Amino acid sequence: MRTVSRNEIRRCSAAPRREITGLYAITPDTGDTASLVAMTRSALAGGARLVQYRSKTMNEELRREQARALAHLCRRFDVPLLINDHIDLALEVGADGVHLGREDAPISQARLKLGHEKIIGISCYNELESAIEAECNGADYVAFGAFFSSVTKPDTVPASVDLLQQGNLEIRIPIVAIGGINSDNALVLISAGADAVAVSNALFGARDIRSEAAKFSGLFKRQSFHPSLSRTRQ
């Protein structure tokens, strides 16, 4: 992959940065739509700032039903809903964007379908160069991880805290940390440069989802009160 200079990054980052920060809730894979909506409502009530609908096992009809229900819920809370993988589904239900992985459609194709108002997030695993390229190709945020052992994606590649620090120096779009994150280990990632933390199992598997979401949200407030923990993007 070609190395992209920081001057190139500045030229291809003319658009204003989107506000992507805080707790990023990734929904569990369940066929119970009512339970899914109730759990997501609790996460939103606790302060989740983004929601990603991620379903790998449901059929197309059920995914459509669940995505519509979540889109309606997220609009009530004025929180963006992103759809994992499925660009056409995002368009159909009026979601706010998509999150794409290595095997999904390229950014250019997603942008052509979605337009410039929608959010496109890209999984970059532990690859800084992929994140730099994604920014220059028009991504709105990049996701690094897994930083810790992940129940949701046990076979994912490991990422280091140093990667967040380096990413903070090299790219301007928001950085999302993902993988095995809980309310005990999230602060080290936030302090190292993560604008948001994406959480699934530790959030939706909690006995009190709203309270757990509030814990995560409180970590970002705590960081804002400690200037020594803050980052400055170039």
Side-chain angles (χ1 to χ4, degrees):
M1 182 181 298
R2 184 177 70 86
T3 302
V4 183
S5 72
R6 295 180 72 179
N7 285 336
E8 286 178 290
I9 293 171
R10 291 189 179 98
R11 286 199 298 272
C12 64
S13 301
R17 290 179 60 205
R18 294 183 186 271
E19 184 68 18
I20 295 174
T21 185
L23 173 60
Y24 185 167
I26 300 182
T27 62
D29 211 347
T30 175
D32 187 338
T33 302
S35 175
L36 177 66
V37 170
M39 289 190 292
T40 305
R41 183 184 296 111
S42 294
L44 290 165
R49 300 289 299 276
L50 297 98
V51 173
Q52 181 188 136
Y53 173 57
R54 183 180 185 273
S55 176
K56 298 294 186 180
T57 62
M58 302 302 114
N59 61 45
E60 184 177 346
E61 182 179 354
L62 185 53
R63 279 201 303 265
R64 187 179 294 114
E65 172 192 310
Q66 293 183 339
R68 281 201 184 106
L70 291 177
H72 177 71
L73 175 67
C74 288
R75 280 193 289 270
R76 286 172 50 199
F77 280 84
D78 194 26
V79 166
L81 171 69
L82 276 64
I83 305 295
N84 183 277
D85 297 350
H86 299 281
I87 299 170
D88 290 337
L89 180 60
L91 282 169
E92 183 178 347
V93 304
D96 298 281
V98 294
H99 181 88
L100 303 174
R102 181 178 286 140
E103 305 302 322
D104 298 322
I107 297 171
S108 57
Q109 182 180 328
R111 185 63 73 197
L112 186 63
K113 286 188 172 185
L114 294 171
H116 291 284
E117 298 304 312
K118 300 294 186 179
I119 299 168
I120 297 177
I122 302 295
S123 288
C124 296
Y125 312 99
N126 60 358
E127 302 166 2
L128 180 59
E129 290 297 325
S130 293
I132 293 172
E133 183 175 337
E135 178 175 22
C136 278
N137 287 334
D140 294 296
Y141 73 83
V142 294
F144 290 129
F147 288 94
F148 307 101
S149 178
S150 172
V151 173
T152 306
K153 300 179 75 173
D155 298 325
T156 192
V157 296
S160 69
V161 173
D162 289 345
L163 178 63
L164 288 174
Q165 296 170 331
Q166 189 63 30
N168 181 53
L169 295 174
E170 297 293 338
I171 63 177
R172 296 174 60 205
I173 57 176
I175 297 171
V176 176
I178 190 170
I181 300 171
N182 57 47
S183 55
D184 293 324
N185 61 29
L187 187 59
V188 67
L189 303 177
I190 298 168
S191 302
D195 296 282
V197 292
V199 186
S200 183
N201 187 64
L203 176 62
F204 290 104
R207 180 174 298 179
D208 186 336
I209 295 173
R210 179 171 180 167
S211 175
E212 194 66 18
K215 285 183 185 178
F216 281 103
S217 300
L219 295 176
F220 286 89
K221 294 176 183 176
R222 174 180 168 186
Q223 194 254 6
S224 69
F225 283 115
H226 291 272
S228 62
L229 298 178
S230 299
R231 302 95 62 233
T232 301
R233 292 260 165 94
Q234 295 290 320

